[in-house]
């Protein structure tokens, strides 16, 4: 308005000058000047529009390339899933009632009547379980309903109530972790024809009723939403289509700007131009964000179904589908675990929408609104439950797979972890460690425990520190500490492989000595207790863990020979050739110690430790099978003699305190290890089924008041006492025979003589001298009576 008087004034002045002038020359009027400029203005606007259209076309080409490259390539980076070993149930299976219930919970089974898939009922020690079925690498395991009783930690009365009859039923293995993409998204991919029909129809009824009619955007819906929001003075309604929501989640950020909204609309139109509606809907079902599990985001209805209900998507009921669809509006706000009242209100609203849309009958809707949320107590798929074990799995996988493939290809990794044994191992560490030492010393202590299957080398459990859930420094793998007396069985094994020189009764000298090196330095080893005992039989020197005899034997056969033995049993790091190595100055991780002791437990066969049984792709096709590998690296006869001495260690030597905790009838073999000032406390030993290695010490390598017997052994024995297992009863190899001997006099004797001991010998190495004893008749009679009651 301000410029109108100004223009009028100029126009009037022009008129006056025109009338008063007598000159024949006429000046152009202002009107003719303005008319002359108009073509130039419109040309400019036309060019500007043309440039804008060119830029828009270029931008559309770019957006089109973005849309098609994502949709026609790998749309999702699907994490690899890591599974425990499946629990096999049959008559006679070894499992306690508590362990069975814990494993059911770990696998996402819910307590109930045992009729619905993925649920179980427990009445005392009787279980009714409805399995879900699972696709294993060797075939599909169908869903069944089974009944069984647990008695004496054994399954009894096993039967299949519903489903195909089978003598053995494998439960779905628990997912114990995953290897996730860098963006920490997790999902279980589903196909549209696999989901219950009620899910997409409900989703469209609530979020986008005209999904199959619009072309990516819905102008009328946007207009209605804008009007509703203006009237309310806040955002109360959204106008985005499912396609727009997918574009926003799939391609764009969550920022609320006009540029982002414009890109969203353009990309939605392009997406609809290129792809079928069903393809877009299926992608939406797999992409939509539905919650958070720690640092990991839950995407798609497939994973959300398992995360919230512990069930497969195809098995969900009306009220469960309604809850998941309702959470699309705000997964955090309507989180059923944190905000059950909000979630219930939202779920019931969705059920009403389903009823109004004619998707369910009024009676069914009313029943669904009256049901509880039905959410499992804890997520069935959470963060890596056993970080130390998963760490070892990843290192084993790195031999064959790229990290990128592990993070994105949806591999299924079937491991050897036994959840019941892992639970017992974690309990042994967390229960025992605070009870060792006292005060600040106990608080500074750390511990690890490695458990393997004695015969196969499968790693069944792994604890990396006093906090089993800590995902940081993994002491079981990365804490390389001096092993102390754990080296002694390998010294004596090296010697016993020369039976013409060494047997279990060979006298070895327990007396101090001094070594002087070329540089003038002196080394004088000592026994832990500082005492000297003169000549002792070799088996006693090992079972009592005397230092001086071990060093003398090691020097006699040669440090290089001991080094070769350790390397053959699985040590793959350099070993010093100094004599101090004979007292365990060589450093190893607990996993490496488990590796070399595996060879002692298996009669001289190097059995590489393994955590993986099989790897399949997302479709179930086998990619890798990790079979048992063994290599004989020592004479089984000589190993048998060492096993005898290690059994003696448990019954008479440094490991005998284990039987304060472990049942006396359980035969065990083991060895303690202690380093200077108690900086490292070790124990390694095995039963007929399990091998376990325990370490206790401080991260700062500070001294403790612990020995192998007072530190690591209590952790080890607490674990062994919890797990049902068989005692160690070694098979006598060819070329070994047992004889009654007096080991102090290195002579054959009678069974009933004083100091008589039944000892194994490699054929031809047994004593040739024989001694008799008095009172044999009386001792025979007494022995006969004792035998009646054994």
């Amino acid at each position: 308005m301000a410029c109108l008087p100004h223009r009028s004034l100029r126009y009037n002045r022009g008129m006056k000058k025109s009338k008063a002038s007598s000159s024949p020359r006429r000046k152009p009027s202002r009107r003719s000047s303005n008319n002359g400029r108009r073509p130039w203005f419109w040309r400019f606007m036309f060019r500007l529009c043309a440039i804008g259209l060119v830029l828009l076309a270029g931008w559309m080409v770019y957006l089109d390339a973005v849309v098609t490259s994502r949709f026609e390539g790998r749309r999702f980076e699907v994490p690899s899933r890591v599974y425990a070993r499946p629990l096999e149930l049959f008559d006679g299976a070894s499992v306690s009632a508590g362990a069975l219930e814990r494993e059911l919970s770990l696998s996402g089974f819910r307590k109930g009547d045992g009729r619905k898939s993925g649920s179980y009922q427990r009445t005392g020690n009787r279980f009714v379980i409805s399995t879900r079925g699972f696709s294993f690498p060797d075939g599909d395991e169908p869903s069944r309903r089974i009944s069984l009783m647990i008695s004496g930690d054994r399954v009894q009365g096993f039967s299949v109530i519903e489903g195909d009859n089978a003598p053995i039923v494998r439960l779905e293995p628990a997912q114990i972790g995953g290897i996730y993409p860098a963006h920490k998204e997790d999902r279980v991919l589903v196909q549209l024809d696999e989901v219950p029909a009620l899910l997409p129809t409900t989703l469209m009824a609530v979020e986008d009723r005209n999904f199959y009619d619009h072309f990516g955007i819905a102008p009328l819906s946007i207009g209605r939403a804008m009007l509703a929001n203006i009237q309310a003075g806040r955002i109360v309604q959204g106008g985005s289509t499912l396609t727009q929501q997918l574009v926003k989640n799939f391609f764009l950020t969550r920022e609320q700007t006009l540029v982002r909204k414009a890109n969203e609309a353009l990309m939605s139109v392009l997406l609809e131009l290129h792809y079928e509606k069903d393809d877009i809907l299926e992608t939406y079902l797999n992409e939509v964000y539905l919650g958070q599990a720690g640092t990991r985001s839950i995407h798609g209805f497939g994973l959300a179904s398992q995360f919230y209900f512990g069930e497969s998507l195809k098995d969900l009921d009306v009220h469960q589908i309604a809850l998941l669809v309702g959470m699309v509006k705000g997964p955090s706000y309507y989180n059923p675990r944190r905000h059950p009242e909000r979630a219930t209100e939202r779920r019931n609203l969705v059920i009403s929408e389903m009823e109004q849309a004619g998707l369910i009958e009024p009676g069914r809707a009313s029943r669904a609104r009256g049901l509880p949320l039905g959410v499992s107590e804890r997520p069935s798929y959470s963060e890596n439950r056993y970080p130390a074990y998963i760490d070892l799995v990843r290192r084993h996988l790195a031999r064959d797979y790229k990290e990128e493939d592990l993070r994105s290809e949806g591999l299924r990794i079937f491991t050897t972890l036994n959840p019941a044994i892992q639970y017992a191992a974690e309990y042994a560490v967390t229960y025992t460690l605070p009870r060792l030492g006292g005060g600040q010393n106990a608080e500074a202590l750390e511990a690890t425990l490695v458990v393997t299957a004695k015969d196969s080398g499968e790693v069944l459990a792994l604890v990396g520190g006093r906090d089993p859930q800590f995902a940081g420094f993994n002491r079981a793998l990365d804490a390389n500490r001096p092993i102390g007396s754990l080296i002694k069985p390998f010294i004596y094994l090296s010697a016993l492989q020369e039976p013409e020189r060494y047997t279990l009764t060979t006298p070895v000298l327990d007396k101090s000595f001094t070594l002087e090196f070329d540089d003038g330095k002196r080394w004088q080893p000592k026994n832990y207790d500082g005492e000297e005992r003169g000549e002792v039989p070799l088996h006693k020197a090992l079972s009592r863990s005397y230092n001086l005899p071990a060093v003398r034997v090691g020097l006699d056969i040669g440090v290089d020979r001991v080094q070769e033995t350790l390397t053959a049993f699985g040590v793959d790091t350099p070993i010093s050739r100094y004599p101090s190595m004979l007292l365990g100055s060589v450093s190893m991780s607990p996993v490496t110690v488990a590796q070399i002791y595996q060879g002692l437990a298996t009669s001289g066969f190097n059995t590489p430790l393994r955590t993986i049984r099989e790897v399949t792709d997302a479709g179930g096709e086998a990619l890798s099978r990790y079979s048992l590998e063994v290599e004989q690296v020592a004479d089984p006869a000589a190993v048998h003699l060492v096993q005898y001495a290690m059994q003696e260690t448990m019954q008479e030597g440094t490991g005998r305190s284990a039987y304060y905790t472990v049942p006396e009838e359980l035969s065990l073999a083991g060895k303690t290890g202690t380093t200077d000032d108690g900086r490292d406390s070790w124990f390694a030993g095995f039963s007929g089924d399990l091998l376990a290695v325990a370490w206790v010490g401080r991260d700062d390598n500070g001294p403790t008041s612990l020995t192998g017997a007072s530190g690591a052994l209590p952790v080890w024995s607490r674990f062994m006492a919890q797990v049902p297992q068989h005692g160690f009863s070694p098979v006598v190899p060819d070329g070994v025979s047992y004889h009654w001997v007096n080991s102090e006099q290195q002579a054959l004797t009678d069974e009933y003589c004083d100091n008589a001991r039944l000892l194994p010998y490699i054929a031809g190495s047994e004593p040739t001298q024989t001694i008799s004893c008095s009172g044999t008749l009386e001792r025979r009679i007494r022995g006969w009576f004792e035998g009646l009651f054994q």
Side-chain angles (χ1 to χ4, degrees):
M1 294 296 293
C3 65
L4 290 179
H6 179 70
R7 292 183 61 188
S8 177
L9 177 63
R10 296 184 64 180
Y11 178 78
N12 290 335
R13 285 179 180 176
M15 291 295 291
K16 288 180 180 179
K17 288 183 179 179
S18 177
K19 290 180 179 181
S21 174
S22 59
S23 171
R25 190 174 67 178
R26 297 178 59 188
K27 293 183 179 180
S29 67
R30 292 287 179 183
R31 181 182 298 274
S32 63
S33 175
N34 288 343
N35 287 340
R37 292 178 183 176
R38 283 182 179 175
W40 176 88
F41 173 77
W42 290 115
R43 284 197 300 272
F44 172 76
M45 293 301 297
F46 176 78
R47 291 172 182 171
L48 188 63
C49 290
I51 293 171
L53 288 173
V54 171
L55 292 175
L56 178 61
W59 185 243
M60 290 285 284
V61 170
Y62 167 74
L63 292 180
D64 187 72
V66 171
V67 168
T68 55
S69 64
R70 183 75 182 271
F71 257 69
E72 292 175 4
R74 187 174 61 194
R75 299 185 188 179
F76 301 105
E77 290 185 339
V78 183
S80 296
R81 307 198 179 280
V82 184
Y83 295 95
R85 66 92 186 93
L87 178 62
E88 295 184 342
L89 296 176
F90 53 91
D91 273 325
S94 176
V95 62
S96 67
L100 175 56
E101 187 161 30
R102 281 193 299 272
E103 190 146 351
L104 289 169
S105 176
L106 192 66
S107 297
F109 282 76
R110 292 184 298 161
K111 201 168 186 177
D113 60 5
R115 294 183 178 275
K116 189 174 182 180
S117 175
S119 69
Y120 72 96
Q121 180 186 55
R122 178 179 179 181
T123 307
N125 284 340
R126 178 169 292 281
F127 289 80
V128 176
I129 306 168
S130 287
T131 69
R132 300 190 191 94
F134 190 79
S135 179
F136 288 97
D138 60 354
D140 292 340
E141 183 83 13
S143 58
R144 296 183 175 93
R145 188 161 170 252
I146 61 176
S147 173
L148 58 92
M149 173 74 79
I150 302 293
S151 178
D153 293 339
R154 297 281 175 181
V155 173
Q156 295 183 358
F158 175 85
S159 64
V160 178
I161 303 174
E162 293 180 9
D164 297 338
N165 196 24
I168 301 175
V169 170
R170 287 182 294 182
L171 296 185
E172 174 186 352
Q175 184 182 326
I176 59 174
I179 302 174
Y180 301 103
H183 48 61
K184 297 293 185 181
E185 290 183 4
D186 194 6
R187 54 176 52 82
V188 172
L189 297 183
V190 296
Q191 295 181 351
L192 190 59
D193 57 3
E194 296 175 343
V195 304
L198 193 58
L199 174 59
T201 54
T202 301
L203 183 65
M204 287 183 285
V206 174
E207 296 291 329
D208 188 356
R209 297 196 175 194
N210 299 314
F211 174 73
Y212 279 100
D213 299 320
H214 61 63
F215 53 89
I217 57 176
L220 291 179
S221 297
I222 295 173
R224 285 195 301 269
M226 290 180 61
L227 181 61
N229 294 337
I230 292 171
Q231 290 175 345
R234 58 190 177 90
I235 298 177
V236 296
Q237 185 175 333
S240 296
T241 64
L242 287 180
T243 310
Q244 287 177 274
Q245 294 180 36
L246 175 61
V247 166
K248 179 178 65 177
N249 293 333
F250 215 50
F251 301 103
L252 304 173
T253 64
R254 295 183 178 273
E255 61 178 347
Q256 297 292 330
T257 64
L258 290 176
V259 173
R260 208 267 306 155
K261 293 294 291 184
N263 283 335
E264 177 186 301
L266 292 174
M267 295 175 82
S268 298
V269 174
L270 290 170
L271 198 61
E272 295 270 358
L273 286 173
H274 282 293
Y275 303 102
E276 298 291 335
K277 288 283 188 178
D278 284 354
D279 199 14
I280 294 171
L281 181 58
E282 180 178 287
T283 306
Y284 181 93
L285 294 175
N286 287 302
E287 170 59 25
V288 61
Y289 172 71
L290 287 170
Q292 197 74 23
T295 60
R296 182 169 54 96
S297 57
I298 306 301
H299 286 260
F301 287 95
L303 180 61
S305 173
Q306 297 171 343
F307 183 74
Y308 291 109
F309 304 114
E311 296 186 26
S312 174
L313 186 59
K314 61 182 175 61
D315 296 325
L316 295 188
D317 288 335
V318 170
H319 67 292
Q320 295 169 316
I321 290 174
L323 176 60
L324 293 183
V325 171
M327 290 178 65
V328 170
K329 185 176 181 181
S332 298
Y333 189 81
Y334 295 111
N335 187 321
R337 292 192 176 96
R338 294 184 178 179
H339 310 293
E341 293 181 359
R342 291 180 195 168
T344 302
E345 183 180 355
R346 176 65 179 166
R347 181 203 67 177
N348 291 344
L349 179 61
V350 172
I351 293 173
S352 297
E353 293 276 354
M354 297 166 74
E355 181 183 0
Q356 292 174 12
L359 302 179
I360 56 175
E361 304 81 9
R364 192 179 182 190
S366 178
R367 288 192 298 272
R369 282 190 288 265
L371 291 173
L373 291 175
V375 175
S376 57
E377 293 182 6
R378 64 177 184 174
S380 60
Y381 289 92
S382 62
E383 295 292 337
N384 290 335
R385 291 182 171 96
Y386 311 116
Y389 189 91
I390 297 296
D391 187 13
L392 181 57
V393 169
R394 293 184 72 149
R395 298 190 196 195
H396 286 176
L397 285 169
R399 303 167 183 168
D400 302 312
Y401 296 92
K402 296 179 180 178
E403 182 71 14
E404 178 186 355
D405 293 335
L406 294 174
R407 288 179 177 272
S408 61
E409 293 293 344
L411 305 182
R412 299 195 308 161
I413 302 158
F414 295 90
T415 74
T416 60
L417 182 128
N418 184 314
I421 291 179
Q422 177 71 29
Y423 175 85
E426 292 181 357
Y427 177 80
V429 170
T430 57
Y431 174 86
T432 309
L433 207 56
R435 291 164 172 77
L436 299 178
Q440 295 181 349
N441 184 49
E443 294 176 3
L445 292 177
E446 283 289 349
T448 66
L449 191 61
V450 182
V451 184
T452 69
K454 181 183 75 70
D455 293 327
S456 66
E458 292 186 338
V459 181
L460 306 179
L462 189 75
V463 181
R466 68 184 299 146
D467 179 6
Q469 300 303 311
F470 179 64
F473 182 56
N474 189 347
R475 295 166 188 83
L477 295 177
D478 298 323
N480 288 293
R481 308 294 288 260
I483 64 173
S485 295
L486 291 189
I487 199 172
K488 290 174 183 174
F490 299 94
I491 297 173
Y492 289 115
L493 174 61
S494 302
L496 291 168
Q497 292 189 90
E498 300 180 15
E500 68 281 0
R501 298 180 60 199
Y502 285 99
T503 70
L504 289 178
T505 51
T506 298
V508 290
L509 190 58
D510 183 19
K511 186 176 181 180
S512 61
F513 63 95
T514 301
L515 285 180
E516 186 169 340
F517 300 100
D518 293 340
D519 59 3
K521 292 184 178 180
R522 296 162 62 88
W523 182 59
Q524 187 175 11
K526 295 181 180 179
N527 285 326
Y528 182 80
D529 59 7
E531 296 183 7
E532 301 176 14
R533 298 162 185 84
E535 283 192 348
V536 293
L538 186 148
H539 70 88
K540 187 174 182 180
L542 176 53
S543 65
R544 273 66 169 180
S545 198
Y546 299 150
N547 289 342
L548 294 172
V551 175
R552 287 181 177 273
V553 171
L555 292 174
D556 181 46
I557 61 173
V559 173
D560 289 350
R561 181 70 181 277
V562 178
Q563 181 191 32
E564 291 170 1
T565 299
L566 291 171
T567 301
F569 273 73
V571 178
D572 56 4
T573 55
I575 302 172
S576 71
R577 297 187 179 184
Y578 294 105
S580 59
M581 182 265 280
L582 301 172
L583 288 182
S585 64
V586 58
S587 294
M588 299 183 195
S589 69
V591 166
T592 303
V593 172
Q595 175 65 74
I596 62 175
Y597 268 76
Q598 196 78 35
L600 292 180
T602 55
S603 300
F605 290 90
N606 182 356
T607 307
L609 301 188
R610 60 193 181 112
T611 56
I612 307 165
R613 289 180 175 175
E614 287 185 289
V615 177
T616 73
D617 63 15
E621 290 294 321
L623 299 177
S624 304
R625 286 186 172 90
Y626 294 81
S627 303
L628 177 65
E629 297 179 6
V630 296
E631 178 186 2
Q632 186 172 341
V633 295
D635 180 5
V639 176
H640 185 78
L641 271 56
V642 174
Q643 291 173 341
Y644 174 92
M646 292 176 67
Q647 287 180 289
E648 184 182 322
T649 298
M650 303 304 298
Q651 297 171 5
E652 306 173 30
T654 56
R656 61 187 180 277
S657 61
Y659 286 103
Y660 296 152
T661 307
V662 178
E664 290 185 5
E665 61 273 15
L666 186 65
S667 177
L668 301 167
K671 184 70 190 74
T672 53
T674 311
T675 61
D676 292 345
D677 299 322
R679 298 176 191 274
D680 300 282
S681 170
W682 291 92
F683 192 86
F686 43 90
S687 66
D689 301 316
L690 304 175
L691 178 145
V693 174
W695 169 86
V696 174
R698 294 170 53 134
D699 284 341
D700 61 5
N701 199 31
T704 73
S705 58
L706 302 173
T707 65
S710 63
L713 180 56
V715 174
W716 186 90
S717 55
R718 174 62 58 183
F719 163 75
M720 283 291 190
Q722 296 178 79
V723 181
Q725 57 191 302
H726 300 92
F728 178 61
S729 180
V731 176
V732 181
D734 293 337
V736 172
S737 57
Y738 275 74
H739 300 272
W740 287 99
V741 298
N742 183 319
S743 62
E744 301 293 337
Q745 299 185 41
Q746 304 174 60
L748 299 175
T749 189
D750 192 82
E751 177 182 357
Y752 302 102
C753 290
D754 291 331
N755 299 321
R757 178 185 290 271
L758 188 63
L759 285 173
Y761 287 87
I762 295 176
S765 66
E766 64 273 12
T768 55
Q769 180 184 359
T770 301
I771 59 172
S772 59
C773 58
S774 59
T776 56
L777 179 60
E778 177 185 348
R779 294 180 64 86
R780 285 177 183 272
I781 294 173
R782 186 172 64 187
W784 181 78
F785 276 105
E786 289 175 351
L788 292 176
F789 300 99
Q790 289 181 349

